[in-house]
Amino acid sequence: DAQLTSVLTFLPGVQKVGESEGLFIRGGTGTETKIFMDGSLINNYFTNSVPGIAGRDRFNTSLFKGNVFSSGGYSAAYGQALSGVLVLESVDLPETSSYDFGASPIFISGSFQKLSQNKNHSYGASLSYSNMGLMDKILPFNTNFDIAPQGVSSNANFRIKTNKGGIIKYYGSFDANKMAVINESNNSENRYGINASNTFHTLSYKQKLGKYNLNLSSSYSNNGSKLNIKFKNLNEESNLSLNEIGNYINFKGMIDRKINKLSTIKTGIEFNNLNEKNSSGKDYNDLTSSFFLE
């Protein structure tokens, strides 16, 4: 599937749920597993989708150099009674400058990464467009698409190595997608259509301070979706529109130090703020602040 989370479904304790996006661990919901990138919480790791079709990973697998996944027991830095955490570490400076262009019946994309001559900083960007319309006409899909899945995505990044061996990383992305499916039964026909967009930014800083390691990270994301549902049977037809928009901010600061060769002491603070609005007129606001010591 070219998705990191699809690989993790083969691990013990992880359940594979095809019609819903998320990592489901030991019967828990997808919200009980949190995903972090360079220490920052990713509030909307998966794309928005219609009922019955799972959303896909928003992040390219080549963006990461490694991951730590726990489905039972994890660091005190990740709280709120989770079932598990997936900690992703993005790549550092690229080995060389590069340019990439790709095209297929499904997508067209282009990207570049520019490495400085002294190899202490880099920057890059990418842009892609995907459309399953042609493949929907050629291949006999099980899903009846009224509007085949299509979308555009872009991202940009920069990485800077400090004089003292630290590193600053920034990654920002924007994507928009839409689709519509028709579910038919003997007496009814229901249409589900969605238009969605997402913006994500993260900035992290890692630095060694003598015997201590300092890690600062922050992230912001905005996620919006418009779900239109049309119910139609022999006697009547009705329409329902569900609009949602959310803003999410996360900040975490952490210091750790090794004690001898076998132990580490780790402490830090975290702030997590979210604001969600929906078409019913109800707003949801939540600010969580925490201190942890391990």
Side-chain angles (χ1 to χ4, degrees), residues 23-293:
L23 284 172
F24 298 83
I25 299 176
R26 296 188 177 91
T29 66
T31 59
E32 294 178 22
T33 301
K34 297 298 184 183
I35 302 176
F36 299 82
M37 174 180 174
D38 296 329
S40 298
L41 175 64
I42 304 176
N43 280 283
N44 303 106
Y45 184 84
F46 301 93
T47 59
N48 300 90
S49 186
V50 296
I53 298 180
R56 291 183 57 83
D57 292 14
R58 278 196 166 96
F59 298 85
N60 194 310
T61 55
S62 62
L63 179 64
F64 307 109
K65 65 179 182 180
N67 69 84
V68 176
F69 176 65
S70 170
S71 60
Y74 43 83
S75 171
Y78 313 107
Q80 302 192 53
L82 302 176
S83 296
V85 295
L86 172 60
V87 183
L88 303 170
E89 187 73 19
S90 67
V91 296
D92 296 330
L93 297 177
E95 296 181 358
T96 182
S97 298
S98 62
Y99 301 87
D100 179 84
F101 176 78
S104 79
I106 301 176
F107 70 89
I108 182 171
S109 65
S111 66
F112 76 92
Q113 287 290 328
K114 182 66 175 180
L115 179 66
S116 64
Q117 291 185 350
N118 55 10
K119 297 186 177 182
N120 64 0
H121 70 273
S122 69
Y123 60 91
S126 73
L127 177 66
S128 65
Y129 170 75
S130 62
N131 192 321
M132 294 289 293
L134 177 62
M135 302 306 294
D136 183 37
K137 295 178 180 179
I138 297 176
L139 300 178
F141 287 177
N142 293 328
T143 303
N144 183 10
F145 288 109
D146 189 33
I147 299 177
Q150 52 192 274
V152 60
S153 64
S154 62
N155 65 71
N157 66 81
F158 68 77
R159 306 174 182 101
I160 303 173
K161 275 193 174 182
T162 64
N163 295 330
K164 296 183 180 180
I167 189 168
I168 301 172
K169 296 181 182 179
Y170 164 79
Y171 176 83
S173 66
F174 169 81
D175 66 79
N177 67 290
K178 66 178 181 178
M179 75 170 78
V181 298
I182 297 177
N183 295 332
E184 298 180 352
S185 63
N186 292 333
N187 299 318
S188 65
E189 178 183 285
N190 302 327
R191 181 186 186 275
Y192 301 88
I194 190 169
N195 283 273
S197 63
N198 177 268
T199 303
F200 175 78
H201 300 275
T202 179
L203 180 66
S204 65
Y205 172 56
K206 291 185 177 182
Q207 182 71 60
K208 189 173 180 62
L209 305 173
K211 296 182 179 180
Y212 296 88
N213 294 309
L214 173 66
N215 293 271
L216 301 175
S217 61
S218 61
S219 66
Y220 166 78
S221 62
N222 174 277
N223 189 68
S225 66
K226 296 180 180 180
L227 180 63
N228 298 305
I229 308 174
K230 180 183 290 185
F231 303 98
K232 183 179 180 181
N233 56 35
L234 297 176
N235 300 319
E236 60 180 351
E237 179 178 321
S238 59
N239 296 278
L240 177 65
S241 180
L242 302 174
N243 302 332
E244 294 183 353
I245 186 169
N247 289 282
Y248 311 86
I249 299 174
N250 176 261
F251 171 79
K252 180 179 289 184
M254 184 169 62
I255 295 178
D256 65 81
R257 174 183 172 175
K258 283 193 174 183
I259 303 175
N260 297 323
K261 294 183 179 180
L262 300 178
S263 302
T264 301
I265 186 169
K266 180 187 300 181
T267 185
I269 57 173
E270 182 178 18
F271 298 95
N272 196 34
N273 184 73
L274 65 88
N275 172 261
E276 295 178 340
K277 301 178 180 180
N278 56 47
S279 53
S280 65
K282 295 183 178 180
D283 297 350
Y284 179 70
N285 295 279
D286 181 49
L287 172 63
T288 302
S289 55
S290 61
F291 166 79
F292 54 90
L293 175 65

